[in-house]
Amino acid sequence: MKINGNEIRPGNVIQHKNGLWVAVKTQAVKPGKGPAYAQVELKNLIDGTKLNERFRASETVERVRLEQKDHQFLYAEGDMLTFMDLESYDQIQIPQDLLEDRAAFLQDGMTVTVESHEGRPIGVALPDQVTLEIVEADPVVKGQTAASSYKPAVLENGVRVMVPPFIEAGERIVVDTNEITYVKRAE
C-alpha cells in the first residue's frame, strides 16, 4: 500500500532501499525556506541497522502489511525461543535477539503476537503488562518520603526496575513490558 512520506508514523513498516524498515521516531519539520518534510528514524528489521531519512509529502513509500498470528511461548533453548501457533499447533523458533531486552518477560504459556513478512518472523509483540514477584528491594532511607522517590528492586526474572518506597521483597507487581517500568501492585 502506497502512502505519502509525511504519513509515516512510529511502528509503520516500509519498503525502502530494498529492505524492510520500521519507523522508530518521526518528526514533522517545516523549515523557513523550502517545503516541509518528515524526518524519520528507521531501523532495519533484518540486521538492526539504523538510518535517518527525510521524506517529502510529494514522495510515496510502500507500507508493508505484516501477517499477525497469535502464538504461545513454550520454552527457550540456547539463544532460540520456541513458539506454537494457536490455530495449527505448528512450532516455530525465533532468535532471542529479535526481542532484545523484552525476552526476559516471556513466561511459560504466555500468548504473544508474532509478526511475519512472507512467512519469515520479524517481530514479537508481548502483552503490554505482566505480573512479576520482587525478589530483592532496597530498604527505605528515612527522610526520603517528603518528595516522590523510587528505589531499585530486582524482579524474579533478574530485571532491575524502580519501585515506590512502600514496595517490599516478596510482593507481586505489574510491570510495563514496553517501558520496563513499575505500574502498580498486583491484586
Side-chain angles (χ1 to χ4, degrees):
M1 176 173 85
K2 295 250 186 228
I3 61 170
N4 290 339
N6 61 347
E7 295 175 355
I8 299 172
R9 301 283 173 258
N12 286 4
V13 178
I14 63 169
Q15 188 96 31
H16 183 64
K17 293 188 177 178
N18 297 325
L20 287 179
W21 299 82
V22 63
V24 180
K25 292 181 192 166
T26 61
Q27 179 182 6
V29 179
K30 175 113 177 68
K33 190 174 190 179
Y37 59 88
Q39 182 75 32
V40 182
E41 183 180 317
L42 299 169
K43 182 178 177 187
N44 191 307
L45 288 171
I46 309 305
D47 59 18
T49 57
K50 288 198 173 179
L51 174 72
N52 279 315
E53 283 286 335
R54 289 181 178 179
F55 294 100
R56 302 210 183 290
S58 59
E59 295 178 59
T60 59
V61 292
E62 184 68 32
R63 183 170 171 204
V64 179
R65 288 267 182 224
L66 299 176
E67 303 160 37
Q68 295 183 332
K69 272 192 142 181
D70 285 343
H71 284 70
Q72 184 177 31
F73 173 65
L74 297 178
Y75 59 89
E77 187 176 329
D79 62 345
M80 297 300 280
L81 303 170
T82 304
F83 296 90
M84 179 182 65
D85 187 326
L86 291 176
E87 293 173 12
S88 66
Y89 302 110
D90 292 336
Q91 292 185 9
I92 59 168
Q93 288 196 316
I94 297 176
Q96 188 168 338
D97 58 351
L98 195 65
L99 276 86
E100 298 170 349
D101 302 343
R102 298 174 310 133
F105 291 103
L106 283 171
Q107 298 170 344
D108 289 344
M110 177 183 276
T111 301
V112 299
T113 303
V114 175
E115 297 177 325
S116 55
H117 179 257
E118 296 175 354
R120 181 169 178 243
I122 56 172
V124 177
L126 298 177
D128 289 336
Q129 297 178 343
V130 294
T131 303
L132 295 165
E133 185 177 328
I134 293 186
V135 293
E136 184 182 316
D138 290 355
V140 178
V141 177
K142 283 221 181 273
Q144 268 193 334
T145 55
S148 66
S149 60
Y150 282 80
K151 63 182 183 179
V154 179
L155 300 170
E156 62 186 89
N157 60 2
V159 175
R160 294 182 70 81
V161 68
M162 298 300 281
V163 296
F166 57 82
I167 300 291
E168 300 294 329
E171 289 189 59
R172 295 183 65 76
I173 62 167
V174 177
V175 179
D176 184 318
T177 58
N178 300 312
E179 302 290 322
I180 307 178
T181 54
Y182 166 85
V183 176
K184 63 181 182 177
R185 266 186 179 150
E187 272 92 48

